[in-house]
Amino acid sequence: MGSFQVSSGGKLDIDLKVTAPDNRVVHTTTKQTQGQYEFTTKAKGEYQFCFANRMSTLASKVVSFQVIVGDHSEIAKAEHLTDIDKSLLALSDSLMAIQNEEEYMRIRERNHRDTSESTNARMLWW
């Protein structure tokens, strides 16, 4: 699971391709400014995350991305968990979602602030 966002450069769009260790493509996204992805790994090994800027090679881009990796092979089965354990797992998942959303909002705020400052600077010259 993860997310990405182009924060500056060109039209703010980028391609993403995620490839498994056996060279199988597990996720693709084209010409997106931001996005989220989720997949379950089938093979052990290194996964490749390729961000491509083919559509505007002259403009460099700044991309923020996050990859969340979890090994669920050691987690107990649901019937072995108490109600408190289940509540703690749900709380942990909710907290992670809040942290991800907060990071996303922080990036958006920075982009909007940069746009606003650029507009203000242009208005001074006008």
Side-chain angles (χ1 to χ4, degrees):
M1 176 169 65
S3 61
F4 69 93
Q5 180 177 15
V6 181
S7 54
S8 67
K11 292 185 177 179
L12 300 179
D13 56 347
I14 201 154
D15 298 342
L16 168 64
K17 179 170 79 169
V18 182
T19 308
D22 59 359
N23 290 328
R24 183 177 43 87
V25 176
V26 294
H27 179 79
T28 58
T29 301
T30 57
K31 296 184 180 179
Q32 295 295 314
T33 300
Q34 62 192 24
Q36 295 183 344
Y37 51 88
E38 184 172 341
F39 58 90
T40 303
T41 59
K42 305 283 189 225
K44 290 185 178 183
E46 293 183 11
Y47 283 73
Q48 297 177 359
F49 292 78
C50 179
F51 292 94
N53 188 23
R54 289 187 200 105
M55 70 290 293
S56 65
T57 56
L58 298 177
S60 60
K61 297 186 179 182
V62 176
V63 179
S64 302
F65 69 98
Q66 180 179 28
V67 178
I68 300 170
V69 178
D71 181 11
H72 299 293
S73 62
E74 300 291 324
I75 294 178
K77 294 184 179 178
E79 61 265 13
H80 297 129
L81 296 175
T82 65
D83 289 339
I84 292 175
D85 291 333
K86 292 175 186 177
S87 295
L88 286 173
L89 286 173
L91 186 62
S92 176
D93 289 343
S94 296
L95 182 59
M96 184 174 291
I98 290 169
Q99 288 173 328
N100 292 340
E101 188 68 19
E102 181 183 19
E103 179 65 25
Y104 169 73
M105 290 299 178
R106 200 176 292 136
I107 291 169
R108 285 194 61 176
E109 187 274 331
R110 184 179 67 219
N111 292 341
H112 291 288
R113 183 175 10 94
D114 290 345
T115 301
S116 178
E117 289 173 359
S118 172
T119 302
N120 287 339
R122 281 188 244 148
M123 289 302 293
L124 284 174
W125 289 102
W126 185 52

